[in-house]
């Protein structure tokens, strides 16, 4: 009954099922692992003290930035150089912009330093000047931003002196010196009152360390992949069952009711056609013969009438000869039309009945 599973068509279906189910299970397990990693990192972050409360360390000791060093206080010494404004940044539910200055260190590299936040538009904004000379800054270390970071503007087309994303890949095209692949934000206003109008920008949690919406998306994707695997298996069993039932019906000689009705109707039509074609010919020939006999009888009656004419009738004998000749002609027409059609038979019958 299940020999159909070895046909080329079912070989393709079986191969698809064998490959699709493990793939769906693998993808679901991978998404579940991503969600569990998020939960574990979130729990570890809650157990650890606030990174900003830990002792500050030199910048080079905290690089590269990862989930452990992100938010840690970093110390760097140098002089401020180029200044950029980062528009479209929100703080305390208000729109504004960051004030970023490049700190040139003794190593020759520059460290982006976010000195603070100002409300309003970055265009034609009055920004407090950066301190002059050599300074030592202590700020919360942050990883370079990317296209998924909050507030990033990747559309481009910003005016000169403005920056859409704080990253070394962006800044290296704007300054003639190397840039650290990190940046710091000052937790307090600058000394000397030059940046007193700016609000400090709090450090952001490292990407992928909290239970955000993306973490629950991983959990949703897990359910979707497992549902796909179950759907593939369900459809395979359904197709096998349907094919097996069809094969069993064929083996038992069973045909659906619709097919039986159609075959009976076609058989009845064929029988009717045979009956009409078989019966029409003999009956038509019999009718022609009967009409021929009737015509012959009429001719005999005509000849008898012609012979009896002089004795029992005052009508001249010549008046009946045409009738007798008409009967003879009618009989000949009936004989000639016996195998050709019904129209001549009808004329012969009418001629006979006229007699």
């Amino acid at each position: 009954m299940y020999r159909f599973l070895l046909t080329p068509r079912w070989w393709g279906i079986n191969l698809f099922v064998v490959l699709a189910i493990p793939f769906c299970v693998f993808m679901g397990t991978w998404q579940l692992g991503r969600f569990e990693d998020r939960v574990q990192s979130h729990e570890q972050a809650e157990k650890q003290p606030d990174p900003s409360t830990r002792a500050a360390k030199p910048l080079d000791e905290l690089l590269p930035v990862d989930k452990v060093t992100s938010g840690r206080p970093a110390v760097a010494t140098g002089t401020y150089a180029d200044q950029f404004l980062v528009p479209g940044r929100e703080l305390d539910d208000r729109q504004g912009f960051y004030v970023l200055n490049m700190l040139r260190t003794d190593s020759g590299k520059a460290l982006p330093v976010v000195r603070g936040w100002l409300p309003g538009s970055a265009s034609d904004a009055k920004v407090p000047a950066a301190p002059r000379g050599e300074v030592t800054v202590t700020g919360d270390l942050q990883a370079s931003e990317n296209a998924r970071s909050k507030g990033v503007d990747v559309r481009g087309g910003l005016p000169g002196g403005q920056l859409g994303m704080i990253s070394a890949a962006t800044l290296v095209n704007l300054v003639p010196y190397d840039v650290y692949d990190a940046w710091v934000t000052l937790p307090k206003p600058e000394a000397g009152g030059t940046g007193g109008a700016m609000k400090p920008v709090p450090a952001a949690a490292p990407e992928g360390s909290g239970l955000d919406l993306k973490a629950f998306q991983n959990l949703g994707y897990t359910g979707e992949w497992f549902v796909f695997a179950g759907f593939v298996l369900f459809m395979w069993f359904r197709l096998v069952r349907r094919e097996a039932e069809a094969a069993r019906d064929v083996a038992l000689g069973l045909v659906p009711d619709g097919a039986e009705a159609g075959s009976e109707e076609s058989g009845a039509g064929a029988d009717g056609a045979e009956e009409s074609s078989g019966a029409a010919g003999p009956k038509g020939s019999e009718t022609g013969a009967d009409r021929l006999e009737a015509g012959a009888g009429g001719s005999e009656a005509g000849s008898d009438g012609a012979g009896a004419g002089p004795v029992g009738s005052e009508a001249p004998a010549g008046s009946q000869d045409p009738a007798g000749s008409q009967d003879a002609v009618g009989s000949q027409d009936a004989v000639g039309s016996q195998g050709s059609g019904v129209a001549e038979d009808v004329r012969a019958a009418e001629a006979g009945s006229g007699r």
Side-chain angles (χ1 to χ4, degrees):
M1 182 181 297
Y2 294 97
R3 291 181 180 178
F4 61 86
L5 293 174
L6 301 179
T7 59
R9 171 174 171 267
W10 275 96
W11 268 111
I13 296 176
N14 296 335
L15 181 62
F16 172 78
V17 172
V18 169
L19 295 178
I21 292 179
F23 177 76
C24 293
V25 173
F26 169 77
M27 293 299 297
T29 305
W30 178 70
Q31 291 288 350
L32 181 61
R34 292 288 302 275
F35 175 75
E36 292 176 348
D37 292 342
R38 292 289 188 92
V39 174
Q40 185 177 2
S41 62
H42 177 71
E43 293 176 351
Q44 291 177 353
E46 288 183 344
K47 294 179 181 179
Q48 293 180 355
D50 188 359
S52 60
T53 61
R54 303 177 67 178
K57 288 187 176 183
L59 175 65
D60 294 334
E61 296 182 8
L62 299 177
L63 297 177
V65 184
D66 54 18
K67 293 181 180 180
V68 177
T69 60
S70 179
R72 289 281 303 271
V75 180
T77 302
T79 57
Y80 283 119
D82 297 276
Q83 178 173 281
F84 298 95
L85 303 181
V86 186
R89 299 307 173 103
E90 185 176 344
L91 184 63
D92 297 335
D93 297 330
R94 297 175 64 189
Q95 286 292 331
F97 58 93
Y98 292 167
V99 179
L100 183 146
N101 286 81
M102 305 298 294
L103 183 68
R104 296 287 303 273
T105 63
D106 296 337
S107 64
K109 286 186 175 182
L111 175 67
V113 178
V114 175
R115 296 167 52 215
W117 175 89
L118 287 174
S121 175
S123 301
D124 301 330
K126 295 182 179 180
V127 179
R132 295 179 179 272
E134 188 177 85
V135 295
T136 299
V137 298
T138 302
D140 297 334
L141 187 63
Q142 299 282 273
S144 293
E145 294 180 336
N146 53 53
R148 298 185 301 272
S149 301
K150 184 179 180 180
V152 168
D153 184 4
V154 296
R155 295 173 298 177
L158 295 174
Q162 295 188 17
L163 190 66
M165 180 170 57
I166 307 174
S167 68
T170 303
L171 288 167
V172 74
N173 298 320
L174 302 176
V175 295
Y177 38 80
D178 294 335
V179 180
Y180 282 104
D181 191 16
W183 59 283
V184 297
T185 175
L186 301 182
K188 298 179 180 179
E190 294 172 335
T194 57
M198 295 186 294
K199 290 185 177 181
V201 177
E207 185 178 358
S209 62
L211 291 179
D212 52 4
L213 179 61
K214 190 173 182 179
F216 289 99
Q217 284 180 348
N218 295 130
L219 185 61
Y221 293 151
T222 300
E224 288 183 1
W225 283 113
F226 287 137
V227 169
F228 290 159
F231 179 75
V232 171
L233 188 62
F234 166 75
M235 291 302 299
W236 183 82
F237 275 113
R238 184 175 181 181
L239 291 175
V240 170
R241 181 180 178 182
R242 181 181 298 178
E243 195 78 13
E245 290 177 352
R248 183 186 59 187
D249 293 343
V250 172
L252 296 177
L254 300 177
V255 182
D257 295 336
E260 287 184 354
S263 62
E264 291 176 358
E265 291 177 359
S266 62
D271 294 338
E274 291 177 359
E275 292 177 358
S276 60
S277 62
K283 290 183 179 180
S285 61
E286 292 175 0
T287 303
D290 295 338
R291 292 175 179 175
L292 180 60
E293 293 176 359
S299 63
E300 291 176 359
S303 61
D304 293 340
V311 178
S313 177
E314 297 179 355
S319 62
Q320 294 181 0
D321 292 336
S325 62
Q326 291 179 359
D327 293 337
V329 172
S331 63
Q332 292 177 358
D333 294 339
V335 173
S337 62
Q338 179 178 358
S340 61
V342 180
E344 291 79 356
D345 297 337
V346 173
R347 290 197 298 267
E350 291 177 352
S353 62
R355 296 308 307 160

